[in-house]
Amino acid sequence: MADKIFRVNMSDLSTKVETVPEAWMGLGGRGLTSTIVAAEVKPTCHPLGKHNKLVFAPGLLSGTPAANSGRLSCGAKSPLTGTIKEANAGGTSAQMLAKLGVKALIIEGKPADDSKWYSLRINDAGITINEESEVIGMGNFAVVQALNKRLGDKVGVITIGPAGEMRMCAANISVKDPDSHLRSNGRGGLGAVMGSKKIKFIAVEPTSQKVEIADPEAFRAANRTFAKALVDNPISKALAQYGTNVLVNIINEAGGMPTKNFTKGQFEGHEAISGETMYDTIVARGGKPKHNCHPGCVIQCSQIYADVKGNYKTSGFEYETIWAFGADCCIDNLDYIAEADNLLDDIGLDSIEIPVAFGVAMEAGVLKFGDGPEMIRILKEEVGTGTPLGRIIGNGAGAVGRAFGITRVPVVKNQAIPAYDPRAIKGIGITYATSTQGADHTMGYTIATNILGVGGKLDPLSKEGQVELSRNLQIATAAIDSTGMCLFIAFAALDDATCLPSLIDMINARFGINLVAEDVTNLGKTILKTEHAFNLAAGFTNKDDRLPEFFSEEPIAPHNVVWDISDEAIDSFWDF
C-alpha cells in the first residue's frame, strides 16, 4: 500500500486522504513534521487557535524490522515557546501508523462548539472522527484501560490527559507502550494543541499489512550490522543496566548537576537517587531493570519501577526527571520522585518542565525545598484539578517565575533548561541557546563528547570548539529524528565505523534509493534551517538565542565558573 497523507479538519469535521507530494517523499519524523508546519502554519498565529496544525509522522524506517525504529514525531507551533516544535516518543503507535500507510496525519482547524470532544480512529478502512464522552476528564492510564476494553488490547493509543484538556502550556501527548503504560511526546505543550482541537485520543488499530521493503536481503544484512553496533556499544550496555539515570553520579562528579534551582552544581543527596540505587531498588521490589519502550529496541534503557508493595509506579524513569525532582528540588527520595512521575504521566504533563517549575516555586516560598509530600499534594489537588496555583505550575517554569516575581528562572525561549548546567558544561549551553525549540538537551547532546568522551573529547569548561560541537550534533540529531530511530543510536554512531553506514544502507534498501552520508548531513541542515526560518518569521531574533542573565553573573560551585561564551560566538552557530 502506498503511503498517504491523512488530513483531518476539525472546523467542519471532515477527513481526506491525499497523495504524498513529491517534495515530502524523502522525509519522515521530525523532517516531515517541521516541513509541514513550516509550509502550512502561519508563523505568527496563536498556537491554540484554528490556524495552528498538529502533525504526527512516523519515521523513514518506522514499521520495518529495523532495530530501535519505533519513535513517533509530533509537531506544531508550541504554546510554551511560540517557536516551531517537534517532540518524539516511543510506544507502539509509530510502527502501527507506518503499517497502515500513514506518512503523516495533519490535524487542522478547531470545532466551533467548544463543549464537544472527539476522537480519531485509524484502521484499514481509513480515518474517522467520532464524538467522545466516556473518557473525557480521565487520566491517561484510565484512558488506555478503557480503550483496551473497547477496542482490544492491541490498539495503539495517542492521548492527552486533563492537562491537555485544560490547555496547560506544559501538557504532553502520551503514547501507549507495549505494556499499556505510557511514553510522552513531552516538551513544548503539544498536548494543549491537541486539546485546542478538542481531540481526546487517537486510536490506531492493528493491521496485517506490512511496510514494503525494496531490497529485503540488503535490509536484513544492514539491520544485523546496525543492531550489533548498538548492542556492543559500552554506553548502550550501561544504559541497559542503569537506564539514563546512570548519569546522576557522572554529572554530579563533573559539577554540572543543577541543584536547588540552579544555585549549585552538585547535590549532597545524589547517591540516594542514583542509577545504581535505582537498580538495586527495582531488583529488590521485583520490578524490571531492563525493558523496551517500543517493540524492536535492542538497547532496552527503560525499566519498571515499583513501590514498596510491588505496585507499578513508572517506566522509563529518566535521569532528567529524577534530576529535576531530585537535585533541583532537593528531594533525595526515589519513591517521592516516582510518585510524582506517575502523576505527571496520568495528568499528561512534561516531566522536565513541571519539576523545574516546582524548583522556581520553591524559591518563591510556595513550598519548601525538599518537601516531597507537599509537592505530591500540589500535583494531585492543584495541578490535576486546574486550580489557579495548579494552572500556574502547569504552564511551566516561566509562568511560575512571572507569577511570583522570581528572577532566577532557568528557561530559554520560555522552556525549562534540563539536567546539565551550562556554566560547567559549555557545549550544552550552546545547544540550549540556539535550539530552534527552546532549551532542550536532546537537540544536540554535547554531554556525549563533553563528559562521556564519545565521538572524541572536548573539555566541558573550555570555550573552544563548543559552537562547532553543538552545531554538528544538532545537524546529526535532526537527521536521526527523521528516521524514527531512538536518539541513543548516536552513541554507537559516533564511535563505531559500521553504525551510520548500516543505517544509511537500511534507508536505501527500504526505498530503493542511493543516499550517501553527505545526503544525511544535508537533510539535517535543511531541517534546522527550515525550523529557524519559521521562528524568524514568527518574530524571534538572535537576541532570543541567549541564556538567562544569572548564568553569566552567578558562579556555580564546585568549579566557580560562569557562562562566558560571547554573543558573537553564539550567533556564529548559524554560519552554515
Side-chain angles (χ1 to χ4, degrees), residues 73-328:
S73 287
C74 178
K77 180 176 178 177
S78 165
L80 182 73
T81 64
T83 65
I84 200 167
K85 183 67 197 150
E86 182 265 358
N88 60 68
T92 59
S93 290
Q95 291 159 331
M96 295 174 76
L97 286 167
K99 288 173 184 175
L100 284 164
V102 180
K103 179 81 167 173
L105 167 62
I106 303 171
I107 303 169
E108 56 196 16
K110 59 187 291 188
D113 184 351
D114 200 49
S115 67
K116 290 182 179 177
W117 282 93
Y118 299 88
S119 65
L120 304 181
R121 192 165 169 180
I122 306 173
N123 54 29
D124 285 323
I127 184 164
T128 53
I129 305 172
N130 305 287
E131 202 169 324
E132 178 61 36
S133 58
E134 180 197 356
V135 302
I136 306 309
M138 280 186 183
N140 284 320
F141 290 112
V143 171
V144 168
Q145 291 308 314
L147 294 179
N148 281 352
K149 194 171 175 183
R150 189 193 300 182
L151 299 171
D153 60 11
K154 297 286 189 286
V155 69
V157 179
I158 303 166
T159 184
I160 57 171
E165 293 183 38
M166 291 185 269
R167 303 170 207 182
M168 291 179 179
C169 285
N172 62 29
I173 295 175
S174 298
V175 184
K176 177 180 152 182
D177 78 3
D179 296 323
S180 289
H181 297 138
L182 300 164
R183 303 291 149 166
S184 302
N185 295 94
R187 313 222 64 197
L190 298 183
V193 180
M194 191 156 151
S196 75
K197 307 293 184 196
K198 305 300 289 185
I199 294 172
K200 175 66 173 175
F201 68 83
I202 302 165
V204 187
E205 296 188 29
T207 179
S208 59
Q209 296 181 74
K210 288 186 166 60
V211 169
E212 290 179 16
I213 295 173
D215 188 341
E217 189 50 49
F219 188 94
R220 278 192 291 272
N223 193 26
R224 278 195 297 272
T225 304
F226 180 70
K228 186 177 188 309
L230 298 186
V231 171
D232 290 348
N233 183 266
I235 303 276
S236 296
K237 291 176 180 176
L239 288 168
Q241 178 152 9
Y242 299 117
T244 59
N245 205 33
V246 69
L247 287 165
V248 164
N249 287 337
I250 295 169
I251 303 301
N252 193 73
E253 178 70 23
M257 179 178 276
T259 299
K260 199 175 184 182
N261 192 30
F262 287 74
T263 56
K264 297 186 287 184
Q266 292 179 316
F267 178 45
E268 288 177 4
H270 66 95
E271 284 287 358
I273 62 169
S274 70
E276 293 81 352
T277 300
M278 183 181 81
Y279 174 85
D280 292 343
T281 305
I282 288 170
V283 171
R285 293 176 181 177
K288 280 189 183 176
K290 203 170 171 183
H291 179 250
N292 57 338
C293 79
H294 65 256
C297 172
V298 297
I299 295 177
Q300 298 195 316
C301 74
S302 178
Q303 62 298 113
I304 293 180
Y305 186 95
D307 65 15
V308 288
K309 296 178 180 174
N311 298 316
Y312 171 88
K313 272 297 152 189
T314 190
S315 46
F317 206 14
E318 306 294 350
Y319 162 65
E320 287 78 14
T321 301
I322 292 168
W323 154 76
F325 280 127
D328 198 48

Side-chain angles (χ1 to χ4, degrees), residues 3-7 16-21 24 40 106:
D3 287 345
K4 301 287 187 196
I5 302 294
F6 287 59
R7 193 179 291 271
K16 57 183 174 180
V17 178
E18 303 169 351
T19 303
V20 181
W24 297 356
E40 298 194 1
I106 303 171

Side-chain angles (χ1 to χ4, degrees), residues 530-542:
T530 298
E531 293 171 348
H532 190 227
F534 180 96
N535 292 345
L536 293 174
F540 289 84
T541 72
N542 64 322

Side-chain angles (χ1 to χ4, degrees), residues 422-435:
R423 290 165 287 193
I425 309 172
K426 308 272 187 210
I428 204 70
I430 297 294
T431 296
Y432 294 155
T434 58
S435 157

Side-chain angles (χ1 to χ4, degrees), residues 40-93:
E40 298 194 1
V41 174
K42 184 180 175 186
T44 54
C45 77
H46 195 295
L48 301 180
K50 65 182 179 181
H51 297 298
N52 200 6
K53 298 188 182 187
L54 185 63
V55 184
F56 293 91
L60 290 169
L61 292 170
S62 296
T64 73
N68 289 59
S69 60
R71 305 293 292 186
L72 177 67
S73 287
C74 178
K77 180 176 178 177
S78 165
L80 182 73
T81 64
T83 65
I84 200 167
K85 183 67 197 150
E86 182 265 358
N88 60 68
T92 59
S93 290

